[in-house]
Every structure is written in C-alpha cells, then in structure tokens.
Amino acid sequence: MRIPLRSCCIFRSFISQKQTLDTQRRGLSGAAMRLVQFRCRGDGDDVRVGVEQGQGLNVVDLKAFDSSMPSTVRELLQLGDKGLECAQRALASGKFVVERANIQLLSPILAPEKVVCVGMNYRDHCLEQNAPIPEEPIIFSKFPSAITGPYDHIILPTESQEVDWEVELAFVIGRRGKHIKESDALSHVAGFAVANDVSARDWQFKRNGKQWLLSKTFDSFCPLGPALVTIDAVKDPHNLGIRCLVNGDTVQSSNTSQMIFKTAELIAWVSKFVTLTPGDVFLTGTPPGVGVFRNPPVFLKKWSLLHNQQECSKWFLDERRYSGVPD
C-alpha cells in the first residue's frame, strides 16, 4: 500500500548567534538560489532544471534559457561555477518562466552516486534512547532508488509493520574531492535540503542481522526536496530549528545545534574512505521524537499525515507536501 506522507518544509528567518561559516566557503559560484528539478505536465518524462523565483512562485527553465545547459541538477553541479553562474543569469533575466501550476516538482537530486547517512548524530536523540555519544560518525547508506520527490507517494511496504519517521537536514556535494580537509570542506557543498529518513524499525532492530541498510532503503524511503537551497542562502546550518509533525501533532522539535558531527566534520571523515562527487547526498541525522522510542511505540499507517519543518533563511520560505493513496 501507499502511505500518504504529507510533508511541509519551511525555510524561515533565523538570526544566528554563533560564528558564521563564511570563512570556510566558497568553492562554487556564490549566489542565493533555489534549484529544482521538474517535469512539465503533459510533456512526457523529460526532466528539466529550474530556478525558483521565490516561495511558491514560478520557475525559470534553465535549458530554455541556455540550450547548452544539462537537464539534471547533478549534471549542472558537475559543471561547477559555469553551471551555477548560468542559473544566476537565467534567474536575473526573468525570461523562460514556467507557471508553477504547469509543472511537477521532483526531488532536486535524482540518481546520485551516493546517499550517505549519519546515525546517532543528535545529542538529544542519543539521550532519548540512553545511548552513549558516538566518538566518531556512524555512517550507513541508502540506495539512490529510495529517493522520492516532494509530491510523490511514500510506499508502505507489506514487508514491514513498523515504519517510522526521521526528519533530517540534508546537504549535497558540489565539488569532487578525496581526503578533504575540514577547513576546506564547506567549499565542496552545493547546498542544503530537507529529507526524511523513513525507516522500517522491525528490519532495523529485529531482522537481517540488525544491519540498517534494508530497513532504510525501501523504495520511496528518502523524501527529498523540494529545492536545493544553495549554501550562500544558509547563514549557519548548525543553528536551525528542525521539526516533524504527524497528523498535526509535533513529534520532533529540536535544533541542528544538537548535531554531534557538523557538516565539515562529516565531509572530512567520509572523504577519507570514498571520493565525493557532485550530487552526492548526505543525510545528517535526526533529533529525538521518533516513533520507535515512544511508550508505547507509534508507527506510520496509511493516511498518516506527516510534516517536516526546517528553519533556514527568510528568502527561502517554502513548503512541500506528500500525498498518497492505498494500492
């Protein structure tokens, strides 16, 4: 069956009281933008890259502006500054605008090479399960096929009876690197998004040798988007409110300041083992309030209504929704 997982991602103003990250940036062209991927309704399966004109507003079609530009955000990031500078010009032109009502928004990244996930990365999440604070990042992965778009169905698999929610801040790699220094790490980040690390707890804790991969990687278990918010729009990604609501009730509410290993630390750590490439997606962990640690445990059912909320920059106020119907 399909679960109607409706999710709302809200980027709001936040005045950071902490040191900003500007000293570690920039590798990619510096401009605040919202990059999206979309299909035009009634126009087949062609994927296109767009730049949103603002919250809930229309989208500038990048390929219509410049036919040499690619059709996916991942390919755009592979072009480096050239691609993002073209996106800036397209947005500034105000031309080749597609009405929002005429498009289907997709995940801002499709088919990345890697989806890197971090477990136990919020102090308050460790406390809720009486677990020790990790001394080094706990890394696992999802298959890229788990990624689904901001308006797509979330499939509730018949193989699991314990499907749970995990709101997370995600970031996307914009520049290739291996053995990246922490001091240089943010120059490899293209931008941030909101994700949900949907998890089958029975498979995570009771089956398959308690390996996490299968529990995390069912089809549609990685809602992502709607937009990739470029790093220049996010003053401090480690001082943002993050919330998850189920059926209108707040079930997760924390702040990314609770993250144990921050963005730069995660990039430096993971790049010791693998080469990071443009389009790679990182999910940075979830705060407390997941269903499995409630008493009694609570899990998602069909027709559940779930919202993710992530505070970010005022210019990027937005929302996303997931809906679905039973098979």
Side-chain angles (χ1 to χ4, degrees), residues 171-324:
F171 66 84
V172 176
I173 295 297
R175 186 156 64 94
R176 182 184 181 91
K178 181 73 183 291
H179 295 293
I180 300 168
K181 295 180 179 179
E182 189 173 323
S183 60
D184 188 44
L186 289 180
S187 70
H188 290 259
V189 175
F192 295 88
V194 179
N196 201 291
D197 179 15
V198 182
S199 304
R201 301 301 189 189
D202 36 9
W203 284 88
Q204 182 177 6
F205 296 131
K206 304 171 186 176
R207 304 188 61 177
N208 196 44
K210 300 183 180 179
Q211 296 290 322
W212 289 5
L213 176 62
L214 289 183
S215 71
K216 300 282 190 173
T217 204
F218 282 94
D219 290 349
S220 78
F221 269 27
C222 188
L224 183 66
L228 177 64
V229 181
T230 57
I231 189 171
D232 295 271
V234 185
K235 188 173 183 64
D236 185 352
H238 306 125
N239 203 349
L240 309 174
I242 184 168
R243 290 175 296 275
C244 179
L245 289 77
V246 175
N247 294 329
D249 296 326
T250 299
V251 293
Q252 292 181 278
S253 181
S254 186
N255 190 284
T256 56
S257 63
Q258 287 286 318
M259 286 172 57
I260 299 165
F261 303 102
K262 313 298 188 186
T263 301
E265 295 173 275
L266 294 174
I267 292 172
W269 176 259
V270 173
S271 68
K272 292 179 180 179
F273 306 96
V274 296
T275 299
L276 300 180
T277 62
D280 286 349
V281 177
F282 277 67
L283 273 59
T284 60
T286 197
V290 295
V292 70
F293 296 128
R294 293 174 176 266
N295 187 17
V298 178
F299 300 109
L300 294 171
K301 305 296 182 183
K302 65 178 181 179
W303 305 120
S304 294
L305 181 67
L306 186 150
H307 291 183
N308 298 325
Q309 296 186 329
Q310 176 69 67
E311 290 182 348
C312 204
S313 171
K314 179 179 180 182
W315 195 67
F316 291 97
L317 177 65
D318 199 1
E319 66 177 30
R320 62 177 183 164
R321 297 184 177 90
Y322 297 96
S323 61

Side-chain angles (χ1 to χ4, degrees), residues 34-41 47-52 54 56-59 99-108 110 148-152 224-228 318-322:
R34 294 178 55 87
L35 301 175
V36 298
Q37 290 184 144
F38 67 95
R39 292 191 180 100
C40 291
R41 299 188 187 279
V47 177
R48 306 184 76 84
V49 177
V51 188
E52 287 187 335
L57 299 182
N58 298 328
V59 173
E99 295 288 333
R100 196 175 188 88
N102 297 329
I103 65 174
Q104 174 195 2
L105 280 176
L106 310 173
S107 166
L110 296 172
T148 192
Y151 294 89
D152 294 343
L224 183 66
L228 177 64
D318 199 1
E319 66 177 30
R320 62 177 183 164
R321 297 184 177 90
Y322 297 96

Side-chain angles (χ1 to χ4, degrees), residues 17-31:
Q17 302 301 317
K18 297 186 176 182
Q19 181 180 0
T20 67
L21 305 179
D22 291 338
T23 56
Q24 294 189 13
R25 317 177 185 205
R26 297 277 185 256
L28 300 173
S29 182

